[in-house]
Amino acid sequence: MAADRRSSWLKGVLDLLVLSCLTGGESYGYEISKALAGAGLGDIKGGTLYPVLNRLEEAGLVVGEFRAAERGPGRRYYRLTDEGRRLLATESGKWREFHTTVRSILRTEEAS
């Protein structure tokens, strides 16, 4: 049951985390996945990550550009749009408020 909850929590915030991964500049899927794993979120598979990137691109929050590689397959690089940066700022604030509320409630329950 705990794994199911963690998956649900991640699903609710993954779009925001992917946008945040792009604040330092453009990146491609595997790099984003590694950054999320390095932050402690575990392995985010391509079947989860790429639909998020596609959805963000369709919404105009990121722009993707395919680049051929000298060796091996090409990669699709993503970068934030101005709209993506605005949404990230707004939604990050909302997420922090939500997080603060949840922490407050959990502390209250622990004290009981």
Side-chain angles (χ1 to χ4, degrees):
M1 186 166 172
D4 293 340
R5 293 235 188 249
R6 184 175 166 89
S7 177
S8 294
W9 296 337
L10 183 59
K11 186 176 183 178
V13 74
L14 189 56
D15 289 17
L16 189 60
L17 296 174
V18 169
L19 291 174
S20 184
C21 285
L22 296 171
T23 58
E26 66 183 15
S27 189
Y28 57 93
Y30 182 68
E31 279 185 335
I32 294 168
S33 178
K34 282 178 53 178
L36 294 171
L41 294 174
D43 188 22
I44 308 295
K45 303 283 187 195
T48 300
L49 180 60
Y50 288 104
V52 169
L53 287 165
N54 290 336
R55 187 170 54 252
L56 294 173
E57 188 171 13
E58 287 175 8
L61 303 174
V62 301
V63 173
E65 175 187 346
F66 181 80
R67 295 185 193 151
E70 289 182 27
R71 296 182 344 189
R75 293 184 176 137
R76 188 162 184 82
Y77 285 81
Y78 298 89
R79 64 178 169 79
L80 281 176
T81 62
D82 290 340
E83 182 62 26
R85 287 186 191 284
R86 281 191 291 275
L87 184 104
L88 177 60
T90 301
E91 295 301 313
S92 292
K94 290 178 184 178
W95 176 259
R96 282 190 289 276
E97 287 176 20
F98 177 74
H99 176 258
T100 299
T101 301
V102 169
R103 285 183 59 129
S104 175
I105 292 169
L106 291 176
R107 280 193 205 114
T108 302
E109 290 299 315
E110 289 173 359
S112 299

